[in-house]
Amino acid sequence: MADRLNLDARTLQAEVARLRRLARRRPEAGERALAAALIGLGLVLRRDGRSEQALAALAEGVRIQRRRDPADPRRAPALLALAWLLHERHRPDAVLRLADEARALLIGAGPADPTGLALWAEAEDLRTLALLAQDRLTEAEAACRAALAAGDRDPAPRARAAARWARLARLGEILNRQGRCAAALPVLREARALQEMIAAGAHPVVWQRRRAELRVQLAFALCGTGRWEDALALYQQAIAADESWALDHPDDALPRLAHCWTGLAACWWEGRRDAHRAEAALRASVAIYRRLAERQPEVHGRGLVEALLNLARFLGREENRADEPRRQEARQLVREALGYLRPPPGPERARLAEEIRTDFARFCHRVASTTRPGLYPPPLRALAAQAQTGAGDAVRLRTEAAGLRALAGRDPAHAAALARTLLALGAVLREERQAAAALAALAEGAALLADRRPTDPERARLLLEYAEALVEAGQTEAAEEILAVLLDHADAGDDADPAVLLPRAEALLLRFELRAAAGQELAAEAAAREAIALLRAAGGPPGRHGQPLTLARALFALARFLVRGGRAADAAVLLREAALLLQTLPPGFSGDLLRAFRSLIARELAGALERIGTPPALAEAAELHRAEVRACRGWADRQPAAWRLAIGHLCGLERCLAAQGRFSAAAAARRQAAARGRRARRLTAPDRRPEP
């Protein structure tokens, strides 16, 4: 393949055309040569910067090779070249599949030679990048360490050092994002030393970007370990370098510059308590993100939202309680952030509102009908039952089912209507805790639709409800069989229909719960992540999402599972997304149930940050607890659940303050929790006065 890079694209295109004609006449003789020519053409086009044409050529060549020589390890370079092109298009799922396919081929070949080792390390690099893009930090760390181990066996010293510093820098970024800044610090220092050694004598412009990225990661790690002065100096150097670099390379330098201003603000405030300079740095970050989001809102909108919320939190902190203009500005900044997340007015907004109403009803039903311990706290289940609107009446549905059953006996055309009624009846009976009657109704409905495809929307919803009822009744083996029927008969064509995607996603979540209960951790996490991917595909990006509550529920469940497994950093990423989804709900979607769910997400996020344990993480966790205690005051007199939530947040605040060494403030939080507990018991205690 390497000799084809010496040819120009025009010559290779002519050869591809000739080989196509040969492959049509004699497939056995011509297809392998055609695949090699297509891959060579793709590599040349990629070298020439014609990435779209390169992608088409490489994809076709890989398809032919996969069909003709599925187990040939020589296919690995083409797979990796295609994966790099897809990585540039931000398609981490496809990158991960191709990298895993290349690894499987290389495992079969037993990579012992330098070329095999280099390909193995490249596959691990691609897996690291794809897993990072999906915020799967623990798996990304394992892939990065595997790439380091493979690269260290490279016999060429300079190539080994060049690959090692890049992978060390990536590993330092992963550790920083996990909150393990103390572990990241020596890794990043080694990467910096290697980088300076390799860059000696090279043109400075070549290394400008890489130096800047490594400097920022090192500064972040220093902040996480409380070395504010050292981090301050590094951030100032990075800002000075990027301000000049941004004149010629704004798309590269400006996002990093905005991030540096945010880090500098943390150094000014946490290190020196200089509120004036910290505020100025945060405003500089917001100004840069506004400029970026104006040109590319789909790329930089999320960064602007985070910058606006950072400035709003700083202006609205406790010290500014009496400064009404600043607090008013903080409220305005929050409104501006939400404006970027909410959908625009018009027909699209009306359609989304209807989808969210359906999603709310689905969310209420799933939470209210679940009796399994540990999934949702009793106060949330009670609020979900209260929030049910238009719930069916079991007596009316039984009467309707009896009439339709008589009609269906004479005319099979009524079977579908009877199945829909039985589905509604089964759902109501589950909420009323009549498990046996619910199972009977749902089993009858499933039998009526047995001749349809398992992924038919009506049958999928019925099978899902039937599997849920079986799990509630303790019949997990039967539930697994129903889930297998629903999930194992899906095909790629179903992915375009949200009506099919949603029951599949719910079924995967149920499979996740069963696998987690059985201790099958890897299978459980895979099922949950597939469910989350389907929900995202069915709904679209945040701010235009028709299933925010179901997706938030999935993120919440997976995050709690990851926290129990000691992966607090991965869980924090998911919980932040869940909290953001609830913030994007249009006006009119509120109520005690959503307040309680938002508070539970905040409590789990604060708990994950407590487990991370770095000073910035503890400070953020304490602020989350304080904000939720204040939020619970507004509805505590109406709902006892708010008292329980507020007490939980006060206990969390006490732990955070004690971990920060602020013991007097922690004692005050403990006293406040005790006082609220006494008041909650008085309000919820039964009236013991004798009846007249």
Side-chain angles (χ1 to χ4, degrees), residues 177-481:
R177 287 173 62 175
Q178 288 178 318
R180 296 161 60 192
C181 297
L185 207 51
V187 171
L188 291 166
R189 282 178 171 150
E190 183 185 351
R192 195 180 191 192
L194 281 171
Q195 186 192 67
E196 295 302 325
M197 180 188 72
I198 296 167
H203 195 282
V205 173
V206 176
W207 294 90
Q208 174 73 18
R209 176 181 181 179
R210 296 175 177 180
R211 272 201 182 104
E213 290 172 349
L214 191 54
R215 188 188 290 123
V216 171
Q217 290 297 333
L218 187 55
F220 187 92
L222 289 167
C223 286
T225 53
R227 302 178 60 177
W228 301 106
E229 292 299 323
D230 294 341
L232 182 68
L234 274 178
Y235 275 128
Q236 287 173 331
Q237 292 172 22
I239 288 169
D242 274 329
E243 281 179 339
S244 60
W245 183 249
L247 297 175
D248 297 320
H249 306 85
D251 291 336
D252 172 42
L254 287 177
R256 190 168 54 247
L257 192 57
H259 178 74
C260 286
W261 279 115
T262 304
L264 188 64
C267 292
W268 283 124
W269 177 243
E270 298 290 344
R272 297 189 181 180
R273 289 290 162 179
D274 190 332
H276 179 71
R277 288 184 175 178
E279 182 181 334
L282 288 172
R283 291 187 185 279
S285 177
V286 167
I288 293 171
Y289 272 122
R290 279 190 176 127
R291 175 182 166 186
L292 290 168
E294 187 176 351
R295 290 189 295 113
Q296 294 178 293
E298 70 284 353
V299 176
H300 299 292
R302 181 65 61 86
L304 175 58
V305 168
E306 291 179 0
L308 290 167
L309 294 177
N310 283 335
L311 180 56
R313 279 193 291 267
F314 188 78
L315 294 175
R317 65 190 190 280
E318 290 292 327
E319 292 91 327
N320 289 341
R321 182 178 294 179
D323 193 340
E324 187 55 34
R326 286 181 180 275
R327 295 181 72 83
Q328 182 63 31
E329 184 183 359
R331 287 190 284 270
Q332 182 60 38
L333 289 167
V334 172
R335 284 193 289 270
E336 183 183 351
L338 292 176
Y340 277 90
L341 296 170
R342 286 177 178 151
E348 177 73 7
R349 188 177 190 126
R351 182 188 65 79
L352 276 173
E354 183 58 36
E355 287 186 15
I356 293 172
R357 273 191 286 274
T358 305
D359 185 50
F360 180 74
R362 186 187 308 116
F363 175 78
C364 289
H365 171 60
R366 292 284 172 239
V367 175
S369 62
T370 299
T371 59
R372 301 189 289 283
L375 280 180
Y376 309 107
L380 192 68
R381 292 206 300 268
L383 290 171
Q386 292 175 19
Q388 290 276 46
T389 56
D393 175 34
V395 176
R396 176 183 61 78
L397 288 169
R398 278 197 176 97
T399 305
E400 185 178 338
L404 286 169
R405 198 176 285 115
L407 289 172
R410 297 191 299 269
D411 184 0
H414 295 284
L418 175 57
R420 284 192 292 271
T421 303
L422 289 169
L423 171 60
L425 175 60
V428 171
L429 292 172
R430 282 192 62 219
E431 291 167 10
E432 294 178 358
R433 306 291 184 259
Q434 299 183 42
L439 274 175
L442 293 167
E444 183 183 356
L448 288 168
L449 300 180
D451 57 338
R452 297 192 185 184
R453 292 175 63 242
T455 51
D456 175 82
E458 285 191 352
R459 190 181 178 202
R461 288 194 296 271
L462 208 152
L463 289 177
L464 172 64
E465 196 72 32
Y466 188 26
E468 285 268 4
L470 288 168
V471 172
E472 296 292 343
Q475 302 179 35
T476 54
E477 292 184 3
E480 288 276 14
E481 293 176 4

Side-chain angles (χ1 to χ4, degrees), residues 147-168:
L148 276 166
D152 286 345
R153 295 164 62 189
D154 193 321
R158 190 169 182 83
R160 184 170 65 242
R164 181 171 176 78
W165 85 256
R167 288 164 186 151
L168 284 170

Side-chain angles (χ1 to χ4, degrees), residues 656-664:
C656 291
L657 293 171
Q660 291 174 302
R662 301 167 61 184
F663 299 109
S664 59

